[in-house]
């Protein structure tokens, strides 16, 4: 069965510091991995995805994520955090053998000035 | 490109009443999703359409929830009768295909059942 875990409910980072939001997954085949962001009172927005190819994926707003097959992880990273990055971040995983996309519970990212 | 349109943005109803939500996906997107998001939780898929056919409705409480996507474009989600625990944000999303392309989300409808 597919599953995805975001082990941290909340991540606190000082502005200008690097940030990491963790995501691990479990699938029986090749995964499709996504990161979405939800700003307060706004809908979910796509950040980046891994389907195949280069393990390091670059996305919107300076974010990137690294697909690590051996550790079954897809952590979201940014070299220098901005206060405006404060939001709720969701990791999601799918497989090409079915149409289901499984969502993590979300991680609240707080960037302090 | 126009985004996913949803209406209404907010709705307050009493328990046991009925309510309907409307979604207009991005033109050309074959896949349409309805999600329920309870405060503090991740989105929960209620139903997924591929064109006008249902791909997944395994988590849809079919005794009270129904959804349709006529002509493979617009979609409506109905709750009848509503319960207090249905209070949530209902998100509609669409994508070009079911898995490998990203989903675009509407602003959502915030439902409060009192």
């Amino acid at each position: 069965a597919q599953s995805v875990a975001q082990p941290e409910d909340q991540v606190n980072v000082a502005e200008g510091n690097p940030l990491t939001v963790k995501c691990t997954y479990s699938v029986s085949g090749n995964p499709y991995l996504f990161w979405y962001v939800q700003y307060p009172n706004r809908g979910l927005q796509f950040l980046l995805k891994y389907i195949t190819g280069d393990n390091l994926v670059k996305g919107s707003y300076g974010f990137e994520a690294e697909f690590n097959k051996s550790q079954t992880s897809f952590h979201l990273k940014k070299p220098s955090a901005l206060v405006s990055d404060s939001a709720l971040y969701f990791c999601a995983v799918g497989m090409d053998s079915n149409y289901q996309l499984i969502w993590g519970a979300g991680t609240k990212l707080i960037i302090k000035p | 490109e126009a985004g996913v349109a949803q209406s209404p943005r907010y709705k307050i109803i009493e328990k046991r009443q009925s309510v309907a939500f409307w979604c207009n996906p991005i033109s050309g997107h074959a896949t349409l999703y309805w999600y329920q998001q309870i405060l503090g939780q991740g989105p929960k898929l209620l139903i997924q359409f591929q064109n006008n056919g249902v791909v997944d409705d395994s988590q849809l409480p079919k005794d009270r929830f129904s959804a349709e996507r006529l002509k493979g474009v617009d979609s409506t989600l109905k709750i009848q009768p509503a319960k207090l625990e249905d209070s949530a944000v209902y998100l509609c999303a669409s994508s070009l295909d079911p898995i490998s392309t990203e989903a675009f989300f509407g602003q959502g409808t915030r439902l409060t059942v009192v």
Side-chain angles (χ1 to χ4, degrees):
Chain A
Q2 292 167 238
S3 66
V4 60
Q6 293 181 245
E8 301 152 320
D9 291 337
Q10 183 169 307
V11 171
N12 298 294
V13 177
E15 186 177 27
N17 283 0
L19 69 87
T20 299
V21 182
K22 296 179 180 177
C23 172
T24 59
Y25 65 90
S26 174
V27 299
S28 55
N30 293 320
Y32 295 163
L33 295 155
F34 299 82
W35 276 102
Y36 286 83
V37 60
Q38 189 170 36
Y39 297 103
N41 299 316
R42 294 176 63 178
L44 283 151
Q45 296 178 36
F46 168 78
L47 270 181
L48 50 79
K49 67 180 178 183
Y50 172 83
I51 304 298
T52 187
D54 194 347
N55 289 345
L56 184 63
V57 179
K58 294 187 183 297
S60 307
Y61 311 121
F63 283 93
E64 59 187 29
E66 185 166 12
F67 170 60
N68 188 318
K69 189 172 183 178
S70 62
Q71 296 186 5
T72 61
S73 67
F74 190 58
H75 300 332
L76 182 70
K77 299 182 179 184
K78 187 173 182 179
S80 179
L82 300 172
V83 172
S84 57
D85 293 330
S86 298
L88 196 54
Y89 290 81
F90 292 95
C91 180
V93 62
M95 290 171 52
D96 58 5
S97 59
N98 63 44
Y99 289 152
Q100 291 186 341
L101 192 64
I102 305 299
W103 291 76
T107 299
K108 186 175 183 179
L109 177 64
I110 298 176
I111 309 299
K112 297 185 177 179
Chain B
E1 149 180 286
V4 176
Q6 286 188 251
S7 66
R9 285 295 310 277
Y10 305 92
K11 190 75 176 179
I12 301 174
I13 62 172
E14 296 182 350
K15 59 183 179 182
R16 291 187 290 273
Q17 284 187 325
S18 62
V19 63
F21 311 130
W22 174 81
C23 174
N24 186 16
I26 292 173
S27 178
H29 282 193
T31 310
L32 185 146
Y33 315 79
W34 282 103
Y35 286 93
Q36 181 193 60
Q37 187 176 21
I38 293 173
L39 188 64
Q41 298 182 18
K44 170 188 167 185
L45 180 68
L46 293 175
I47 190 166
Q48 179 176 334
F49 293 94
Q50 185 67 17
N51 296 307
N52 60 350
V54 175
V55 171
D56 183 356
D57 64 356
S58 57
Q59 298 190 91
L60 186 74
K62 297 180 187 62
D63 58 335
R64 298 185 299 108
F65 286 64
S66 64
E68 60 182 7
R69 189 183 185 193
L70 299 176
K71 300 180 181 179
V73 182
D74 293 11
S75 177
T76 56
L77 175 70
K78 296 179 182 177
I79 307 175
Q80 182 179 8
K83 293 185 176 181
L84 295 176
E85 59 260 36
D86 297 332
S87 295
V89 176
Y90 290 84
L91 297 167
C92 179
S94 69
S95 63
L96 282 171
D97 70 46
I99 284 296
S100 64
T101 61
E102 59 269 29
F104 293 81
F105 284 80
Q107 294 275 61
T109 297
R110 183 177 297 277
L111 174 67
T112 303
V113 182
V114 298

